[in-house]
Amino acid sequence: MRSVIASIVASTCLRACLAEQLPLAGSHHALVPDDAPSYRSELLSLHKSLVTIPSVSGNENAVGNFVVEYLTDRGYIADIQFVPKRNNTQGDKERFNVVAWRGDSNPTPKVLVTSHIDVVPPHIDYGIEDGPVTKDTRISGRGSVDAKGSVAAIIIALEDLLSHDRVDGSDVMLLFVVGEEVSGDGMRYFSDSLKNMTEQPAFDAVIFGEPTENKLACGHKGGLFGEIVAQGIASHSGYPWLGKSANELMVHAMAKIFATDLGSSDLYGNTTFNLGRFEGGVAANVVPEHARAGIAIRVAIGPEKGGGEIVRERVQKILNEIDEDAFELISSHSYGAVDCDCDVDGFETAVMNYGTDIPNLAGDHTRYLYGPGSILVAHGPNENLTVGDLETAVEGFQKLILHALKA
């Protein structure tokens, strides 16, 4: 592993700019010991520190530095893996994945536990309800659910297992990646780096932390992302027959796509189509020459590697039926429905409609998807979860780690 990622265990340059972990307790936040696990204070303090640090995709440097400092202070070997910037608007600071483990300098981990440290915009400050802290106390802020809740629970889960000698530190590796919310470039970069290693780690299992309401996900829908471009001919709006309206073509195409079954399955339901952006034309009295639509399709069919392409062909067929010369379907990436292992005792199960980094990590390993909080509030202005959600997730991640090691 050290041959492809640069060690920063002794890096005083990075340590100088790391954020300090924020205390939780205060005059109006007394911890309630009655039913509190021993790790509650550390869990909530870590979660607060993570959420407090802004880390919108592309600007993950500060939170990455904090994670490195936190882990190295607790005896982990923490390495960083620089991920290229996607554009020139992400500032001057480097962005990087964090890879960490306990034990040998050249580990051979059996289980990888991972989540992402980037969030969607805008940054929303950390908040916690006043009064004594109980399992019902609600915590808010950008990333409190997606996915810094998982990051905090994963770290505390492993720390607790190690402190009680329930796992060997060299058997479990942690990975916290950048860029999941936009294109998955952090995980893809990590995956590519493994392929280039002389001795490639062969993980038996990978546990992905994402908001699943602490249910074990049996999988999630695939996706097809990109845009549809329509080309028309401009003319005066009083003489529309002299032109060709790109907007009109796009409206007809969108209506037909929405009315068409793009694919369904018993497990994942229907493939859904979202028209996220629509722009076209230059003025109300001009027949528009160009139109552009940003789309996100959640693919309910497989296979994982080809399901997205099947849906793409179905959309392209509709566009051709409207006008075979006017449209261009530009897809940034696509994949079919993603299956995960959910046959583990002690968990409720569910399927998810969102996408994850799971298809971005190549390899023949068992895949688990689990984490605290609800996707229904993630990305929204009221992103939040409870103390009990976080604590349940710690126990859940521990069960999954132990199950994966035994399996």
Side-chain angles (χ1 to χ4, degrees):
M1 181 64 66
R2 302 176 78 85
S3 64
V4 294
I5 45 184
S7 175
I8 61 162
V9 176
S11 174
T12 56
C13 175
L14 280 177
R15 285 174 179 271
C17 60
L18 297 178
E20 295 181 358
Q21 188 177 1
L22 300 175
L24 178 79
S27 58
H28 63 298
H29 282 140
L31 297 178
V32 178
D34 295 347
D35 60 348
S38 59
Y39 53 74
R40 173 180 284 180
S41 179
E42 184 68 15
L43 171 65
L44 298 188
S45 180
L46 172 58
H47 184 249
K48 178 179 181 179
S49 296
L50 291 167
V51 176
T52 298
I53 302 171
S55 60
V56 171
S57 302
N59 294 280
E60 303 98 337
N61 180 276
V63 75
N65 286 335
F66 170 79
V67 171
V68 170
E69 174 79 349
Y70 184 93
L71 293 173
T72 54
D73 280 351
R74 285 154 182 79
Y76 289 81
I77 296 175
D79 285 358
I80 62 174
Q81 183 181 54
F82 291 106
V83 178
K85 296 179 181 180
R86 290 189 303 274
N87 54 55
N88 295 322
T89 64
Q90 296 175 349
D92 298 328
K93 294 184 178 179
E94 299 287 352
R95 54 201 296 262
F96 51 85
N97 299 329
V98 179
V99 188
W101 66 93
R102 287 267 194 92
D104 297 336
S105 58
N106 293 302
T108 56
K110 300 175 182 176
V111 175
L112 178 69
V113 192
T114 180
S115 190
H116 59 94
I117 54 177
D118 66 312
V119 300
V120 299
H123 174 70
I124 300 174
D125 290 338
Y126 175 93
I128 185 169
E129 289 180 333
D130 289 342
V133 176
T134 70
K135 288 185 180 296
D136 294 327
T137 298
R138 195 158 293 278
I139 301 170
S140 60
R142 178 60 78 228
S144 56
V145 171
D146 190 12
K148 293 177 179 179
S150 287
V151 174
I154 285 168
I155 292 173
I156 298 301
L158 182 56
E159 274 289 278
D160 190 63
L161 290 174
L162 291 168
S163 68
H164 291 89
D165 296 322
R166 299 182 69 190
V167 298
D168 186 327
S170 62
D171 286 340
V172 183
M173 177 174 282
L174 301 179
L175 169 66
F176 302 115
V177 300
V178 300
E180 189 275 343
E181 293 289 3
V182 178
S183 63
D185 52 349
M187 183 62 78
R188 289 203 308 273
Y189 201 83
F190 175 78
S191 183
D192 289 342
S193 73
L194 297 182
K195 298 175 186 177
N196 296 329
M197 293 179 63
T198 303
E199 297 181 5
Q200 181 177 343
F203 304 114
D204 295 328
V206 181
I207 302 167
F208 294 82
E210 290 281 0
T212 68
E213 300 180 2
N214 287 325
K215 298 175 182 178
L216 190 55
C218 298
H220 65 76
K221 285 184 176 180
L224 170 63
F225 308 95
E227 60 182 14
I228 298 173
V229 179
Q231 176 68 48
I233 301 173
S235 72
H236 193 290
S237 63
Y239 304 86
W241 55 86
L242 297 179
K244 183 178 183 179
S245 171
N247 282 358
E248 183 179 348
L249 289 169
M250 189 71 80
V251 168
H252 286 309
M254 292 299 106
K256 191 163 185 177
I257 292 171
F258 277 116
T260 301
D261 180 0
L262 298 175
S264 60
S265 64
D266 291 339
L267 182 60
Y268 297 105
N270 296 323
T271 295
T272 58
F273 178 87
N274 183 61
L275 173 59
R277 300 190 321 275
F278 185 12
E279 56 188 29
V282 294
N285 64 346
V286 177
V287 172
E289 183 178 11
H290 302 287
R292 187 178 300 269
I295 63 169
I297 303 176
R298 301 297 174 171
V299 178
I301 60 173
E304 182 177 321
K305 290 186 177 181
E309 183 59 27
I310 293 172
V311 172
R312 186 188 190 285
E313 291 173 357
R314 292 174 180 174
V315 173
Q316 186 64 59
K317 181 180 178 182
I318 293 171
L319 299 177
N320 292 343
E321 290 172 352
I322 300 296
D323 189 316
E324 61 181 12
D325 298 320
F327 292 100
E328 182 181 10
L329 173 54
I330 305 168
S331 174
S332 58
H333 60 290
S334 70
Y335 56 95
V338 176
D339 295 330
C340 298
D341 191 315
C342 59
D343 187 17
V344 182
D345 290 340
F347 290 92
E348 291 185 59
T349 61
V351 294
M352 302 296 145
N353 290 345
Y354 54 74
T356 73
D357 263 333
I358 293 176
N360 295 326
L361 179 58
D364 185 18
H365 47 259
T366 303
R367 308 182 297 190
Y368 302 98
L369 177 59
Y370 174 83
S374 170
I375 194 64
L376 301 182
V377 298
H379 296 199
N382 189 37
E383 184 171 352
N384 71 90
L385 78 179
T386 67
V387 171
D389 292 334
L390 286 172
E391 292 173 351
T392 298
V394 170
E395 307 297 328
F397 280 119
Q398 288 181 335
K399 290 178 183 177
L400 289 174
I401 291 170
L402 293 172
H403 174 84
L405 289 172
K406 291 178 181 178

